[in-house]
Amino acid sequence: MEDKLKCLALVGGGALVGAVSTLFLLKLLPRRIPNRCNKKNTKMDETTFKCRIDSGNGNCGMVGLNLLEDEIVCEQLTRNIQLFGLDSQQKVTSSYVVVIGLGGVGSHAASMLLRSGVGKLLLVDFDQVSLSSLNRHAVAIRADVGIPKAECLKKHFSSIFPECQIEAKVLLYDASSEEEILSGNPDFVLDCIDNIDTKVALLAACIRRGLKVLSAMGAGARADPTRIRIADLRESTNDPLSRAVRHRLRKEYSIEGGIPVVFSLEKPKAKLLPFKGPNGEDNPSDYQIVPGFRVRIIPVLGTIPAIFGQVLASYVVTQLAGLHVQTEPVVNLDVDHYQMLLQRLIEHEESLYGTAMQVQVDVEEVQYVVKELWHGRSARELSAKDVGRGMWRSVNELMLVRWDWTKPASVSNLILLKFNEADEHELRTLDDIKEKEPEFFSRVTFVLKRAEQDFGLELAS
């Protein structure tokens, strides 16, 4: 009996050792999925994977372009692949993005970049997680209070997408750290800094280096998520931070615009809270961790910076994937303005053709043409010159006219021009415009083609 028990124990022990050894060997082998990501018969080159142990959290980053050949990664990103297509998702997974500023906005942006499969991330912030930041931070928990924000994100991210190469730098961006942070030719830089001096310096450096950059403006003291927009810095309104950044970039670096920003059209509902030290002192500079950084507090509804971060990530990921997204234009006009433009069109048609029978648009369609197609400005203007109240004034100098006089005044044949531009346009033929201004002709044709698609006019013709 004893011999029998010994025999069974040996067999059981051997089986256990064999099972553990098998599991260990399977973990060492690279995970492959030859057909799963190949649903659309897309051929992928064979790639040799190398495991790089990242100092800090032990990230095993797969050095190579084809992260998507990994079975777990492919399944984790399957919804992205279905949306973008395999080749486009491949661009995302082989990209490198730098996120600077890891508070409420930056942490959520970085988190969704990771979850979207960005293959390499550099996370930069000099600050630490505080208890009061937990109302808006993407991943921080109470146990993280007191540790650097960059290290906090890296720790949590390693369990979400361990194949991503994550580098965390506990560092303040300035002239001395520019090369360390912006070298390596990143595909995108996300500016989520809330200090104006640092923000302006970073944006200027990105422009100088030719790097794609997306900047977050003020998310504090707002409560309406429906007013969040993406636009050129020149078009941002109702945002004190945007206004200050715009002024500094123009004055110190002669940069007029060309920087996409995420901002809110909502006016801030509160100001900086007055500072009081522990002993009643009222000098904030005595308590600055870094000179020039604010100590007074902006009230924050945690959902708004989180949505800012999601918008930032969505913009970057779709750009990396090559998916064209038409952002909501920033046009601050009301129904009276659109009614005025419609009436102006009717009167122009009557004076030119003796009748307005060819006007085939109503106020709602005029709003679409003015706002969606021409963004509230002349078709000859490539970027906004008037924003806010300036746009209200500028609309008094605009009118809708037919692009092609042989066709009716419909949504797919109306352009917005200034009065003098409209007069000149009426005297020219499309062939003349095509010959002398081919770029303008192509741009207008492209925009009007979009109107045909939006209204299903291609199918009707």
Side-chain angles (χ1 to χ4, degrees):
M1 186 68 178
E2 287 183 10
D3 290 340
K4 218 172 190 181
L5 288 172
K6 285 181 180 178
C7 184
L8 287 171
L10 287 171
V11 171
L16 181 62
V17 170
V20 171
S21 301
T22 301
L23 287 172
F24 179 72
L25 287 171
L26 284 173
K27 283 186 175 293
L28 288 178
L29 291 173
R31 301 187 301 261
R32 296 283 182 160
I33 182 161
N35 300 315
R36 190 74 168 272
C37 283
N38 231 357
K39 293 177 181 176
K40 295 183 179 179
N41 298 322
T42 305
K43 292 185 178 180
M44 297 176 70
D45 297 332
E46 287 297 323
T47 303
T48 302
F49 293 110
K50 298 178 182 178
C51 185
R52 177 179 65 83
I53 302 300
D54 215 16
S55 59
N57 69 353
N59 265 0
C60 185
M62 291 185 175
V63 181
L65 295 180
N66 280 340
L67 277 177
L68 296 180
E69 283 191 358
D70 180 275
E71 181 178 8
I72 302 295
V73 173
C74 183
E75 181 62 27
Q76 184 171 341
L77 298 174
T78 185
R79 296 296 186 268
N80 287 51
I81 294 169
Q82 291 165 353
L83 177 65
F84 295 138
L86 186 60
D87 290 341
S88 293
Q89 182 60 40
Q90 188 78 19
K91 296 174 184 176
V92 177
T93 53
S94 62
S95 64
Y96 170 39
V97 179
V98 177
V99 184
I100 307 173
L102 304 173
V105 175
S107 64
H108 281 275
S111 178
M112 283 313 302
L113 290 174
L114 179 88
R115 290 182 183 275
S116 299
V118 170
K120 185 178 179 182
L121 285 170
L122 172 59
L123 309 173
V124 183
D125 199 311
F126 73 94
D127 204 2
Q128 300 174 341
V129 176
S130 65
L131 196 57
S132 65
S133 67
L134 297 187
N135 84 316
R136 58 194 181 277
H137 201 275
V139 298
I141 58 177
R142 285 189 180 182
D144 296 320
V145 172
I147 71 172
K149 291 178 180 178
E151 295 293 347
C152 170
L153 285 181
K154 183 175 181 179
K155 178 185 71 173
H156 288 283
F157 283 6
S158 66
S159 60
I160 298 171
F161 186 31
E163 292 78 12
C164 179
Q165 295 181 29
I166 302 170
E167 186 175 5
K169 289 185 182 292
V170 184
L171 194 63
L172 172 69
Y173 177 85
D174 58 21
S176 65
S177 60
E178 176 189 322
E179 179 63 24
E180 182 178 354
I181 293 172
L182 296 182
S183 62
N185 195 30
D187 297 289
F188 242 105
V189 177
L190 264 66
D191 159 39
C192 304
I193 300 169
D194 59 4
N195 174 264
I196 186 168
D197 294 334
T198 310
K199 195 176 201 71
V200 168
L202 172 62
L203 294 175
C206 288
I207 296 296
R208 186 178 70 252
R209 288 171 171 262
L211 298 176
K212 290 183 179 179
V213 61
L214 177 62
S215 180
M217 295 293 125
R222 272 94 171 176
D224 185 355
T226 67
R227 300 197 188 188
I228 298 172
R229 298 286 187 274
I230 302 177
D232 191 279
L233 179 61
R234 287 172 290 201
E235 299 182 59
S236 56
T237 59
N238 287 342
D239 181 38
L241 182 57
S242 294
R243 187 163 53 248
V245 170
R246 210 164 35 233
H247 174 74
R248 292 276 299 274
L249 283 172
R250 186 188 306 117
K251 181 180 179 182
E252 298 172 22
Y253 299 96
S254 299
I255 296 174
E256 294 289 337
I259 300 172
V261 299
V262 176
F263 70 102
S264 174
L265 291 168
E266 181 184 11
K267 290 183 179 180
K269 296 189 178 302
K271 297 180 180 180
L272 283 170
L273 296 178
F275 174 84
K276 286 292 180 184
N279 298 315
E281 308 95 326
D282 58 1
N283 185 10
S285 62
D286 293 341
Y287 291 85
Q288 289 175 328
I289 300 173
V290 176
F293 277 70
R294 61 175 170 82
V295 175
R296 290 185 296 169
I297 300 164
I298 295 179
V300 179
L301 177 63
T303 55
I304 301 302
I307 296 170
F308 264 64
Q310 303 291 326
V311 173
L312 286 162
S314 295
Y315 181 92
V316 170
V317 171
T318 52
Q319 287 277 311
L320 293 172
L323 178 67
H324 177 70
V325 176
Q326 184 69 41
T327 57
E328 174 77 8
V330 182
V331 179
N332 301 313
L333 302 178
D334 57 30
V335 176
D336 289 340
H337 288 107
Y338 299 121
Q339 183 65 56
M340 178 184 68
L341 288 167
L342 175 58
Q343 186 60 35
R344 198 172 283 168
L345 170 63
I346 292 171
E347 292 173 358
H348 179 70
E349 288 278 316
E350 289 176 342
S351 67
L352 202 61
Y353 304 108
T355 177
M357 293 292 290
Q358 292 295 304
V359 176
Q360 299 180 359
V361 290
D362 55 22
V363 173
E364 187 175 335
E365 289 166 334
V366 166
Q367 180 176 348
Y368 166 83
V369 172
V370 173
K371 182 177 180 179
E372 299 291 337
L373 297 185
W374 305 113
H375 296 187
R377 58 179 179 261
S378 168
R380 289 193 168 276
E381 289 183 10
L382 292 175
S383 59
K385 294 181 180 178
D386 299 295
V387 297
R389 292 188 178 277
M391 180 173 286
W392 285 47
R393 291 189 295 269
S394 68
V395 77
N396 293 323
E397 302 173 359
L398 295 171
M399 64 184 297
L400 290 166
V401 296
R402 299 190 208 183
W403 170 244
D404 183 348
W405 65 269
T406 66
K407 296 179 181 180
S410 64
V411 288
S412 61
N413 191 39
L414 285 173
I415 58 172
L416 194 61
L417 294 172
K418 294 180 179 179
F419 294 152
N420 62 323
E421 294 169 342
D423 291 339
E424 292 175 7
H425 180 75
E426 300 289 358
L427 298 174
R428 302 178 66 183
T429 65
L430 291 186
D431 288 338
D432 180 52
I433 296 172
K434 186 176 182 179
E435 179 185 349
K436 296 179 180 177
E437 299 180 273
E439 187 176 334
F440 174 65
F441 180 88
S442 297
R443 182 158 52 83
V444 172
T445 303
F446 177 81
V447 171
L448 296 179
K449 191 74 173 177
R450 179 190 157 200
E452 287 186 359
Q453 295 168 348
D454 288 352
F455 280 78
L457 299 177
E458 284 183 318
L459 299 176
S461 59

